[in-house]
Amino acid sequence: MAKNLSIQVSHHRLSGRKRSSLKFLLGLFIAVAMFFPMYAVIICSVKTNGQVLSDPFGIPQPFDLTAFGLVLGKSGEFWGFLYNSVVIAVSTIIIVDLFSMAAGIALSRIPFKGRPLIYNFFIMGMLFPITVAVLPLYLQLRDLGLLGTQGGVILAEAAFGLPMAIFLFTGFFKDVPRELQDACQIDGGGILTFFFKIVIPISKPVVATVSIITFIQSWNQFLFPLLVLDNSSKFTIPLGIMQFQGQFTTGWNQVMAFITISIIPMAAFYFSAQRYIVAGLTAGAVKG
Amino acid sequence: MSLNNKTIYSVKKAGLVFLLITPAFLLFLLFVVVPVIQAGHYSVYRWKGLGPLEQFVGLGNFFRMFGEDIFLTALWNNLKVVILSLLLQLPVAFFFALLIGRKRFPGSMLFRGIYFFPYILAEIAIGIIWKFIYNPEFGLPTMIASFVSGGETKIALLGSTEHAFTAIFIVIFWKYIGFHMILYIAGLQNVPDELEEAAIIDGASKLQVVFHVIIPCMRNTIVISVFLSVVGAFNIFDVVWAMGQGGPVHSTETLVTYLYNFGFKRFAFGYGSAVAIVIFLICLVFNLFYQKYIVGESK
């Protein structure tokens, strides 16, 4: 019996190794296929336009950086888009973090009448898509004089980021042990002391999660800026890509250089914080 | 504590609650709740977005919508994305998770990164990249077809009313598969090793382990992934917009591109709002159904 089992186990281990190299090969094959579009962009951004047209997926011959020079130089449009994207993303992140942290504290630690009602009111926002509100939102921003301004984009994006952020903050603050609050009160601290000295310092992981989710959403957001911004000097990177592509239908190498440069910030962000991004997005999704 | 003190305390508390909640509440009210309610209001009018709401049409916008072929195409395209995602994308994502998410082998972290990377890129950029790949003059389909046929064969996937939808679904498949894979990898952490080992010792085959041990243990993750996939499918806009704005001849129109093309571009705010309400109702009904029959059972 025991002999039998050990044979079975060693057999299992052997086939396990074989299986694992098969798995590696299959994984590699999928990775190559999945990466191919990225490869195409990068490789075409360092070619002449002639070579892009004649041999789009081959190795660059000669290696040519003119497209990058043209995109980065020339009127400095790209830098403007980058600046606008940064301003909008950073402002949105700050508003979402501050507002939802404050609301989360009240909704988790201070019992008051109507609390579940207000909580559900916010959470409801996670159930339906942004697009439902997009036309009236446009009119709302028009009536408030926010059309054509970055403020309009920031406020709209922040408002739609709130439900998930409040959900995450409230959930996190709820789990802070009651004893900590009691101990703080015994030492003479009010509820505000408790927040500033204890809760906020330990809530870094949630702040990181909320900021990551907000950043990715804001950075890639297309519909809000498309509706709100009318002047290309205020455009964000996604709008810039769209516009640039429309202008240079024949200059594919420049379009590819533009996309490559626009991917760099996100790629750098991703590879330096991969673990947190994955953790943040899955936390956001799983909790949603 | 005297009554007086108590009153002061509760007034102070009320002030604090007010202070903490008001900013989020106002922002949410002004830019999410009010617009949603307004969408409901506008949807029963014929209105260009300027001047008073005068031309009340009742459910006229809705009746008109369901008589429009383009709207029905858009709705059907969204449903096709739902069906294909559930039958194709999610199972393949699950397979990816099983393949690289558990036993570590060299490169498995890198593979994970590569599979997931498309998810964090802007859909607009992705749409343009794939438009390039599909280019009828020099793109991949043309290259493959020319190679197979041995002559010059041009394939214009995005230019064909028949194939453009499939071409766009491939992009959606590519972009979101990594996200669902990551969800499943996270879910796999919750499958107890002992259960799996016990099943193997009992002589269960690989497939049996997957269907009788792993999938039941991951029920909650799968429930969430399906929910996100369905609601996401009714929101597709950017990719379709970048690849052809709903064309050729409206064949790749989705509910949101339809809303944008027919509501916003033509300033038909009443009609567009009616489309928005349909999207809202679909998501709401799905959510209620899901909460009642699926999520409830898994608890």
Side-chain angles (χ1 to χ4, degrees):
Chain A
M1 179 71 187
K3 203 179 161 195
N4 230 341
L5 194 69
S6 81
I7 289 171
Q8 205 183 331
V9 168
S10 74
H11 171 76
H12 180 237
R13 205 173 281 153
L14 235 173
S15 71
R17 190 169 303 156
K18 214 169 165 190
R19 208 186 296 130
S20 131
S21 55
L22 258 177
K23 272 183 165 186
F24 175 80
L25 283 178
L26 187 57
L28 184 70
F29 175 75
I30 298 168
V32 170
M34 289 289 289
F35 191 73
F36 178 77
M38 300 305 305
Y39 160 82
V41 179
I42 297 165
I43 208 87
C44 287
S45 67
V46 292
K47 287 177 188 171
T48 60
N49 202 42
Q51 204 202 341
V52 171
L53 297 176
S54 62
D55 180 20
F57 307 115
I59 303 298
Q61 289 170 321
F63 190 81
D64 184 280
L65 288 174
T66 344
F68 281 95
L70 288 170
V71 170
L72 291 177
K74 199 165 58 182
S75 77
E77 252 187 332
F78 176 81
W79 300 105
F81 300 148
L82 182 68
Y83 173 78
N84 295 335
S85 278
V86 170
V87 168
I88 288 176
V90 170
S91 316
T92 308
I93 290 168
I94 292 173
I95 293 177
V96 170
D97 269 321
L98 282 181
F99 285 16
S100 54
M101 186 187 248
I105 285 170
L107 293 170
S108 62
R109 308 298 301 199
I110 312 175
F112 62 90
K113 232 182 169 180
R115 187 167 81 164
L117 194 74
I118 294 186
Y119 177 73
N120 287 327
F121 177 71
F122 281 120
I123 297 315
M124 212 180 56
M126 292 199 295
L127 300 183
F128 55 81
I130 287 176
T131 40
V132 168
V134 127
L135 294 174
L137 182 68
Y138 172 83
L139 298 176
Q140 179 88 311
L141 291 168
R142 185 188 72 187
D143 295 343
L144 292 170
L146 289 167
L147 274 193
T149 68
Q150 293 179 331
V153 181
I154 293 164
L155 290 175
E157 281 178 13
F160 277 88
L162 282 176
M164 171 78 77
I166 287 176
F167 184 71
L168 291 172
F169 272 116
T170 308
F172 178 81
F173 291 147
K174 245 184 210 148
D175 294 340
V176 176
R178 176 81 216 173
E179 292 77 40
L180 279 178
Q181 196 171 345
D182 291 341
C184 186
Q185 250 150 6
I186 288 166
D187 290 345
I191 197 150
L192 282 177
T193 325
F194 169 65
F195 296 138
F196 283 108
K197 293 265 151 87
I198 297 171
V199 174
I200 293 175
I202 59 169
S203 59
K204 269 186 207 149
V206 207
V207 174
T209 301
V210 169
S211 304
I212 285 168
I213 296 173
T214 313
F215 174 70
I216 293 178
Q217 268 164 8
S218 167
W219 196 260
N220 292 339
Q221 180 59 248
F222 179 68
L223 192 57
F224 284 154
L226 179 71
L227 285 173
V228 177
L229 303 173
D230 45 7
N231 184 329
S232 67
S233 70
K234 298 221 174 71
F235 277 9
T236 56
I237 288 180
L239 288 182
I241 294 178
M242 195 70 188
Q243 178 187 268
F244 195 81
Q245 195 260 158
Q247 281 170 358
F248 294 89
T249 36
T250 49
W252 275 108
N253 61 340
Q254 285 187 53
V255 175
M256 291 309 172
F258 195 106
I259 292 177
T260 303
I261 305 166
S262 79
I263 288 173
I264 290 172
M266 198 42 117
F269 171 67
Y270 176 58
F271 285 107
S272 60
Q274 192 178 349
R275 287 180 70 176
Y276 305 99
I277 293 169
V278 167
L281 286 174
T282 44
V286 171
K287 294 220 160 181
Chain B
M1 208 186 259
S2 73
L3 193 76
N4 206 15
N5 264 345
K6 232 179 188 168
T7 324
I8 291 172
Y9 175 73
S10 71
V11 167
K12 258 177 119 177
K13 195 180 82 173
L16 184 64
V17 167
F18 184 78
L19 207 72
L20 290 172
I21 288 188
T22 305
F25 188 81
L26 271 185
L27 190 63
F28 187 66
L29 188 72
L30 210 57
F31 293 110
V32 180
V33 179
V34 169
V36 169
I37 294 169
Q38 279 174 328
H41 185 202
Y42 297 159
S43 70
V44 290
Y45 287 89
R46 196 182 157 89
W47 190 48
K48 290 260 173 203
L50 283 170
L53 282 161
E54 275 169 349
Q55 254 183 296
F56 181 80
V57 291
L59 294 177
N61 285 328
F62 294 92
F63 288 127
R64 194 183 127 202
M65 192 188 311
F66 282 96
E68 296 272 357
D69 285 345
I70 300 171
F71 171 80
L72 294 174
T73 309
L75 183 64
W76 175 231
N77 280 340
N78 279 116
L79 288 173
K80 275 197 288 190
V81 175
V82 171
I83 295 165
L84 287 171
S85 302
L86 297 186
L87 294 183
L88 209 67
Q89 187 181 40
L90 300 191
V92 175
F94 187 75
F95 172 74
F96 281 10
L98 287 177
L99 182 70
I100 63 168
R102 283 153 15 110
K103 300 222 176 60
R104 292 274 174 89
F105 49 85
S108 71
M109 281 313 276
L110 181 70
F111 290 166
R112 228 184 263 196
I114 290 173
Y115 298 3
F116 182 65
F117 191 66
Y119 177 72
I120 60 160
L121 296 179
E123 290 197 3
I124 281 296
I126 280 172
I128 293 168
I129 295 170
W130 279 86
K131 214 170 134 184
F132 175 81
I133 292 174
Y134 287 143
N135 189 296
E137 296 298 323
F138 54 75
L140 202 60
T142 294
M143 262 173 74
I144 292 171
S146 301
F147 179 77
V148 170
S149 72
E152 271 287 296
T153 314
K154 278 186 184 161
I155 306 282
L157 288 180
L158 290 176
S160 124
T161 51
E162 226 178 306
H163 301 300
F165 174 82
T166 313
I168 289 177
F169 182 76
I170 290 171
V171 182
I172 294 167
F173 183 89
W174 174 78
K175 162 133 174 133
Y176 291 102
I177 197 164
F179 176 69
H180 292 283
M181 176 197 75
I182 288 287
L183 284 185
Y184 294 141
I185 289 178
L188 278 173
Q189 318 295 323
N190 301 329
V191 182
D193 284 344
E194 305 84 58
L195 260 182
E196 238 176 288
E197 276 159 24
I200 290 170
I201 289 173
D202 285 348
S205 72
K206 266 261 147 184
L207 268 183
Q208 280 173 322
V209 172
V210 169
F211 281 104
H212 297 296
V213 180
I214 297 179
I215 289 182
C217 286
M218 285 178 58
R219 204 193 136 97
N220 285 337
T221 311
I222 295 170
V223 162
I224 288 154
S225 148
V226 168
F227 179 79
L228 291 173
S229 183
V230 172
V231 173
F234 282 104
N235 269 300
I236 296 168
F237 176 71
D238 300 11
V239 166
V240 179
W241 195 255
M243 296 181 82
Q245 311 200 342
V249 214
H250 301 293
S251 61
T252 61
E253 208 84 57
T254 65
L255 290 176
V256 183
T257 61
Y258 184 80
L259 188 157
Y260 194 87
N261 274 330
F262 287 81
F264 195 76
K265 272 189 162 176
R266 302 178 185 185
F267 288 97
F269 279 82
Y271 187 64
S273 294
V275 177
I277 292 301
V278 169
I279 302 176
F280 177 73
L281 288 177
I282 290 172
C283 291
L284 186 74
V285 168
F286 171 69
N287 187 54
L288 290 177
F289 166 82
Y290 210 60
Q291 292 281 351
K292 182 154 186 210
Y293 294 101
I294 313 289
V295 181
E297 263 177 40
S298 67
K299 271 179 187 157

